[in-house]
Amino acid sequence: MHTACMLFLAVLLHAGSAQAREVNIGVLAMRGHEMADRMWSPTADYLAQRLPGHTFRVMPLGFDEIELAVRQRRVDFVLANPSFYVQLELLYGVSPVVTMRNRHNGSEGYGVFGGVLFTRAEHGAVRKLQDLKGRSFAAVDQGSFGGWHAGWREMLRHGLNPERDFSALHFLGTHDAVVLAVLEGVVDAGTARTETIERMAAEGRLDPSRLFVLNEQHTASFPLRHSTPLYPEWPLARVQGVPERLAVDVAVALMMMSPDDPAAIASQTMGWTLPLNYQPVHQALRELRIGPYEHLRHLSLREVLAQYWHWIAITLLALALALLTVAYIGRTNRRLRLHQLELRELNAGLENRVLERTQRVELLLDRERFLRGIVEMVADVNEILITAQSRDEMLKACCDRLVAHPDYRFAWVNLVHDGQLQLAAKSYGTAEFVRLMDDCGDGPGERALRENRTVTQRMHDRVLTGGVSVYAVCALPLRKDVFSEPVGVLCVFTVRDGGFDAEEVAMLEQLAGDMGFATAAFEQREETVRLQHERINHYEKTILSLVDLVERRDTYTAGHTRRVADYCSLLARELGLPQHEIDSLRQAAVLHDIGKIAIPDSVLLKPGPLTDAEFALIKQHVNVGYDTLRRIDMYRDLAEIMRHHHERYDGSGYPLGVAGEAIPFASRIMAVADAFDAMTTNRIYRPRKPVAQAVAEIESLSGRHFDPQVVQAVARALGDIQPPPLADQLPKSPLERQRLAYFFNDPLTGVHNGSYLEFMLRHRMLENLNRVTLVLLRNFSSFNDSEGWRSGNQALAAFARGLGTLAGEAPVFRVTGDDFLILSASELPLDADQLLAQSVFAGTAVRIELECFPLDQIGLQRLKALL
């Protein structure tokens, strides 16, 4: 049965993946955007793996952003607290898909949560909810269910009304901020959702003993401290219009999530379950009369009638009887007086009424023309917002269009920078504009910014050049949406003596809202570009650090990488490639040997020809480098170029064995540059070739190893190259010499072998070594015969170690089976008898003979004869 169910779920997942799309998941960032992204991005990755072809992206949203995101259909699913879900369900028709199962200290998970009310442990005056009256209090946000609504409802049930009984009520934005505000004594008490205290304690950010939980309750199987009833956990809800098949696939995938999955661990959940009953949340919001039940705060006439209809009926009946009596008596006299009064007024005021109605019609026509002009201006400004290429251009054009209206004289925009308003754009009319700014000051703009509302101010008939008067200024906050803080202020001056009226201000507010949204969009675009450049810089620094690490392993690699990049640029320029392709090729050349970081020193630094097995290992550096770079978007194209730089035109190369045009053209250029540098560089086992000979050899391999088109450019691009004289693989430092000598150590004694002495002679590495000391062991074969080969080997190794100690920094070589040679700067103070007495051969048939001679021309000949 279980196997069948799993197969059915797998079929559902496969069917749902047939129609791929990008899916945005809006997440309420109750502990901040960074924490929300860290917790829920693994869940998005999990869904992308389970639903092939779909891309899931987490969008952390603040308390004031989530409703707007759903309304604008910028998200497909929304993960928020139950309060937000209930409101979104009623307003926008979202529907639950699954409910979260929370995690705590290895428990089996739980699908409910609540609120916790707390104060500082040392605050002895507050020990029950009633003690909070007259004190300061902090909550998360007016839209937070666990961080405000649950605690609010519980306080109302205990006779405490937070809306009037607190000395101050602060909303701090995140649960962590509320806890810290209480601990730091900023407020007397606060509320947050369950698990906040426990998680902050687990993160090492607080000591739980410093907090005292008010009205603490204990619920079986719920491990967290809480002060309120428990409500169903956060649901993941589908936004209206999202395909039902996608919602089913997401629900199935999430319910199959294991508690040990990295996504569950990162989100601090135990997985997901079927949607729970959110009726308790409806009941809580109905009691608080907030969200979808806010209308209950205002009692309607119908509700009054339904509750008090019998008393109203009795009262109305009594009033009706009294009125009928009075009406019956005075009806005739009143009617007569009214008719007489109407006749006198009609006769006396007929001419005035005609004049008044004529003036009213004229005012309405003027009003219509004025509002039509405002509407046209708003339309023109909206077109500017759509077509502008930069923020400054957009703001300047908007100001100029505003003052094109006959009733507006000047306009400017101030934007917030480092907490201060700074001029960002202004309309034409410079001189009078400056005088107006000086007279008006920044008062209206600062008030509009501070109070986040429109501010109008009279100008006391300010007369400008030409006799034009400016009567009022209107300052409007610029916001990216109605829930956001202002990013700036728009100021407009009018020449209408009546100033600004309500309808006009409403249209200007709509225009300012559009300008604020466009300004925020430009700033967000600039920030996105900045972050992209910063991300690219970080990637480049990281990759170049890896390249530097590879270069530090081998002197040859450092010079080789730089030279190949230079040769690639020269060849590409000769072949007529555009500059951006040349730059890409050069970058790929810098990175082409990065995979050698995975090659062991014993193979990479070997000073001689490689075996087949070693060469097979060397060839792996291409795949290692490709796998390293292809996962980074900005290096994916470069990785493809680098991947094929060891392919041959006839298909005999590696790693894929592709041929001809199947090899990227840039890779074919790099293959030639790489081979040219290898031919013209000194190697330990092979001297470098002259440039002309290297060019000729490359031309001879045209059509086999190399692309004929690239080969034709080699002589022109590289024929005059002068390789640097130090471009060889010989060691440059004591450390490099020691690493090189590793390949020439004698495996039995640990000293250098005769091959290394030959190497030093061939490459003239004997500077400052002027004396040769031969240490000859006589009758050593008799020692082997009497003690055995194993004991002989051990004795020989021990003797070599003692000899190395006496020689100090001077290199020691084993030149034959049982003889040693020491190269030193001066004659060593060695005595054959003393050396024998201190060695393992004392008391045996072995004898030691010493022979010293200078390392002059004759000495070099004797040294070569020994080898």
Side-chain angles (χ1 to χ4, degrees), residues 279-522:
Q279 192 59 35
V281 181
H282 281 276
Q283 294 173 355
L285 299 184
R286 187 181 293 110
E287 283 187 28
L288 298 175
R289 297 184 179 184
I290 59 176
Y293 302 102
E294 188 172 5
H295 65 279
L296 297 178
R297 287 176 173 261
H298 311 287
L299 199 61
S300 65
L301 178 61
R302 181 178 298 177
E303 293 170 333
V304 172
L305 293 175
Q307 189 169 358
Y308 304 103
W309 67 269
H310 51 288
W311 295 106
I312 295 174
I314 295 172
T315 302
L316 290 177
L317 181 59
L319 289 175
L321 292 175
L323 290 174
L324 286 174
T325 302
V326 174
Y328 180 79
I329 297 173
R331 181 176 57 180
T332 303
N333 293 331
R334 186 171 60 255
R335 184 175 298 174
L336 178 61
R337 288 193 300 271
L338 289 174
H339 283 305
Q340 291 174 345
L341 179 62
E342 288 177 1
L343 182 59
R344 286 195 300 269
E345 290 178 352
L346 182 61
N347 291 332
L350 182 59
E351 184 177 350
N352 292 333
R353 290 184 182 181
V354 172
L355 179 61
E356 179 183 346
R357 289 182 181 179
T358 301
Q359 293 175 345
R360 186 179 301 172
V361 169
E362 291 177 351
L363 289 174
L364 289 175
L365 290 175
D366 290 340
R367 178 68 176 168
E368 181 184 357
R369 285 192 293 270
F370 170 73
L371 293 178
R372 187 184 301 117
I374 296 291
V375 171
E376 291 175 356
M377 179 189 66
V378 171
D380 291 344
V381 169
N382 282 328
E383 183 176 355
I384 292 172
L385 299 181
I386 295 173
T387 58
Q389 298 299 315
S390 68
R391 185 195 69 182
D392 294 342
E393 173 193 340
M394 178 266 294
L395 294 177
K396 179 64 170 66
C398 289
C399 290
D400 290 342
R401 179 58 186 88
L402 280 167
V403 300
H405 190 280
D407 287 339
Y408 297 149
R409 179 58 57 182
F410 296 108
W412 72 68
V413 173
N414 288 344
L415 296 181
V416 177
H417 183 72
D418 293 334
Q420 300 293 326
L421 283 175
Q422 294 185 1
L423 180 65
K426 62 182 179 64
S427 60
Y428 50 82
T430 306
E432 292 188 330
F433 167 78
V434 173
R435 289 199 298 273
L436 269 181
M437 288 189 65
D438 293 339
D439 292 348
C440 178
D442 292 331
E446 290 182 345
R447 285 180 56 199
L449 180 70
R450 182 175 62 254
E451 300 174 12
N452 197 7
R453 67 178 182 86
T454 301
V455 174
T456 58
Q457 178 177 308
R458 297 290 297 182
M459 295 293 295
H460 304 296
D461 298 344
R462 174 69 164 88
V463 179
L464 305 177
T465 304
V468 179
S469 297
V470 174
Y471 290 96
V473 59
C474 181
L476 306 105
L478 301 181
R479 299 167 295 202
K480 67 179 179 180
D481 57 61
V482 295
F483 304 103
S484 301
E485 291 297 318
V487 298
V489 177
L490 168 67
C491 293
V492 183
F493 291 86
T494 182
V495 297
R496 294 178 65 224
D497 57 0
F500 298 90
D501 59 28
E503 289 182 87
E504 180 183 5
V505 170
M507 291 185 181
L508 288 175
E509 286 178 339
Q510 178 182 354
L511 183 145
D514 295 338
M515 290 178 63
F517 177 81
T519 300
F522 276 114

Side-chain angles (χ1 to χ4, degrees), residues 32 41 46 93 274 280-281 303 305 332 355 372 378 440 493 502 527 532 542 544 600 680 698 715 763 803:
S41 290
Y46 168 87
L274 292 173
V281 181
E303 293 170 333
L305 293 175
T332 303
L355 179 61
R372 187 184 301 117
V378 171
C440 178
F493 291 86
E527 179 65 12
Q532 179 71 10
T542 301
L544 291 178
T680 56
I698 290 174
H763 292 283
L803 197 60

Side-chain angles (χ1 to χ4, degrees), residues 28 58 98 105 111 240 269 323 382 470 476 491 556 562 621 657 663 681 703 768 803:
L28 178 61
V58 169
V98 288
N105 288 345
Q240 195 173 37
T269 66
L323 290 174
N382 282 328
V470 174
L476 306 105
C491 293
Y556 162 74
R562 176 181 53 77
H621 82 278
I663 306 171
T681 302
N768 299 324
L803 197 60

Side-chain angles (χ1 to χ4, degrees), residues 247-261:
V248 171
D249 292 343
V250 169
V252 171
L254 289 176
M255 286 191 290
M256 292 175 64
M257 182 186 291
S258 168
D260 298 328
D261 192 279

